[in-house]
Amino acid sequence: MAIEKLVLIKEAELTNNCPECFNQDLKLTFYQKHRFAKLYHRITNEVTHQIICNKCGSDIYPAKWTDDIERIFEYYQKMMQPEKSSLKLKPLFYLLVLFFIAIIGIGGYLFSTGLIQF
């Protein structure tokens, strides 16, 4: 079972007004989803974002965004550089592949010498 984890890509302090408390202390954060399993580490293309008011602690959802917040969000979204989608195999995967190749090789050798018959 793979463990999914959101890895921080970019964080920015915004000076726009919060739609809830009208304070000028917002934080915009971009995350990228990574999957960790025993045999591999996969970096996905999925990027999420979150805007939080540091004063009242509320999440600012896109339905409540003002035009200013939307423009700033688009600006930071263009600046953000997520990692490329990739698949990195772990050493355990290579050990298992070598193990199965060795088992098949030993079985083929024993079959060819006549020690095993099907």
Side-chain angles (χ1 to χ4, degrees), residues 29-44:
T29 313
F30 289 98
Y31 298 101
Q32 186 171 19
K33 187 184 283 188
H34 290 229
R35 287 195 184 115
F36 298 94
K38 292 181 181 179
L39 299 177
Y40 65 90
H41 170 210
R42 179 177 212 73
I43 300 172
T44 63

Side-chain angles (χ1 to χ4, degrees), residues 20-118:
E20 300 291 327
C21 66
F22 304 106
N23 190 22
Q24 292 185 347
D25 194 15
L26 300 176
K27 181 168 53 171
L28 171 63
T29 313
F30 289 98
Y31 298 101
Q32 186 171 19
K33 187 184 283 188
H34 290 229
R35 287 195 184 115
F36 298 94
K38 292 181 181 179
L39 299 177
Y40 65 90
H41 170 210
R42 179 177 212 73
I43 300 172
T44 63
N45 281 335
E46 190 174 332
V47 175
T48 59
H49 62 274
Q50 183 178 30
I51 298 179
I52 296 178
C53 177
N54 291 331
K55 174 80 174 182
C56 65
S58 62
D59 287 339
I60 313 299
Y61 295 106
K64 292 188 174 189
W65 287 0
T66 62
D67 291 336
D68 295 334
I69 293 175
E70 218 169 297
R71 279 194 298 269
I72 294 292
F73 173 76
E74 289 172 1
Y75 171 75
Y76 279 108
Q77 191 175 24
K78 289 177 184 176
M79 283 183 44
M80 174 205 42
Q81 295 292 325
E83 293 182 53
K84 291 184 179 180
S85 178
S86 65
L87 177 67
K88 298 175 184 172
L89 300 173
K90 293 187 177 179
L92 180 60
F93 174 80
Y94 294 114
L95 287 173
L96 287 174
V97 168
L98 287 174
F99 176 74
F100 286 121
I101 289 173
I103 294 295
I104 291 171
I106 291 170
Y109 173 74
L110 293 176
F111 182 73
S112 69
T113 58
L115 295 174
I116 296 178
Q117 295 179 358
F118 291 107

